[in-house]
Amino acid sequence: MSQSSTTKEAASAIPPHTKVSRQDWIDAALRALRTESIDQLKVLSLSKSLSVSRSSFYWYFENPAELRDELLALWDLNTTSIVDRSNRESDTIVAGCLGVFECWADPSLFHPLLDLAVRDWSRRDATIAQRVAAADNVRLDALTTMFGRHEFGADDALVRARLLYHSQVGYFAVDTQEPMQVRLGYLPYYLEAMTGTAPTAMELKAFAALVEATD
């Protein structure tokens, strides 16, 4: 077993005198973001949600700031997912966009609540604001490059990238509530608005199957 694997297992293992793992604390923090700001998470409230004492927290984290750092590391994966799928080779721009849409269809690729929580935090912390602005630029640059690969001009590619990205950020920001089947029904219209090309029935069917598999 590698040293990194051993270290990871040690960090996530449940000590004999506790009832929860490091991941349990992280998951509790993620759930708490529905009602609490990320920079105001309290160990006491998290411990109550897990039905354990506060002392368990300090077995895994030196202080709440370390937990916030862990949440920021998870948030960085949102950017990685968008960039990875923007860089994926695709025969058509519609296929490229559908690849990016996987980020919002698969919760293992993108955590929308965490994304909104970090964005909210950035309004009160200049350092976090810089990180969010940098992440937005990286995400938009990747999307703009994707459109550029499909022969859209520079300004056209940028505007279409913004349309795709801002519509998704806004979708979660306004907390739009609708069943996935309704969203899939709108998908052809979103794709045509963003790309100028209508998706094929095969492309839509394949994406719907992916959504069903991750549901």
Side-chain angles (χ1 to χ4, degrees):
M1 183 180 293
S2 68
Q3 182 177 357
S4 60
S5 297
T6 303
T7 302
K8 184 177 180 181
E9 288 181 7
S12 61
I14 301 177
H17 61 283
T18 69
K19 298 179 181 178
V20 297
S21 67
R22 179 184 178 92
Q23 188 60 50
D24 288 328
W25 283 101
I26 295 170
D27 291 341
L30 290 171
R31 290 192 297 271
L33 295 180
R34 296 188 179 279
T35 56
E36 300 180 52
S37 300
I38 193 171
D39 54 328
Q40 296 173 5
L41 291 172
K42 299 293 189 294
V43 174
L44 179 59
S45 61
L46 294 179
S47 67
K48 287 181 177 179
S49 73
L50 292 170
S51 300
V52 297
S53 67
R54 285 183 293 177
S55 61
S56 170
F57 176 87
Y58 295 100
W59 177 268
Y60 301 108
F61 301 96
E62 183 175 346
N63 50 45
E66 186 178 344
L67 174 60
R68 290 194 294 272
D69 287 342
E70 189 78 23
L71 294 176
L72 282 172
L74 288 175
W75 170 73
D76 284 336
L77 297 178
N78 284 357
T79 298
T80 299
S81 293
I82 292 174
V83 171
D84 284 350
R85 276 148 187 79
S86 297
N87 291 339
R88 184 187 292 172
E89 291 296 326
S90 56
D91 293 333
T92 67
I93 185 56
V94 168
C97 287
L98 285 171
V100 175
F101 286 170
E102 292 176 14
C103 296
W104 295 287
D106 185 346
S108 71
L109 298 176
F110 190 94
H111 198 298
L113 182 60
L114 179 57
D115 213 61
L116 290 176
V118 173
R119 195 173 297 277
D120 176 65
W121 184 11
S122 74
R123 297 184 178 94
R124 298 181 295 277
D125 188 307
T127 300
I128 301 302
Q130 291 177 346
R131 288 187 65 163
V132 169
D136 282 336
N137 287 335
V138 169
R139 297 173 186 185
L140 279 169
D141 284 349
L143 291 168
T144 301
T145 299
M146 179 186 73
F147 279 98
R149 287 199 305 271
H150 291 277
E151 301 182 355
F152 289 90
D155 290 342
D156 195 7
L158 174 61
V159 170
R160 291 179 189 274
R162 287 178 174 176
L163 178 61
L164 189 161
Y165 182 57
H166 292 164
S167 67
Q168 289 301 317
V169 171
Y171 190 95
F172 294 115
V174 301
D175 196 23
T176 302
Q177 299 293 323
E178 60 188 15
M180 180 56 71
Q181 287 305 312
V182 173
R183 288 197 72 183
L184 289 174
Y186 294 147
L187 185 59
Y189 306 103
Y190 278 115
L191 287 167
E192 189 160 7
M194 293 172 184
T195 69
T197 304
T200 66
M202 185 176 296
E203 287 172 324
L204 294 173
K205 183 177 180 180
F207 187 76
L210 181 146
V211 170
E212 184 177 356
T214 58
D215 191 7

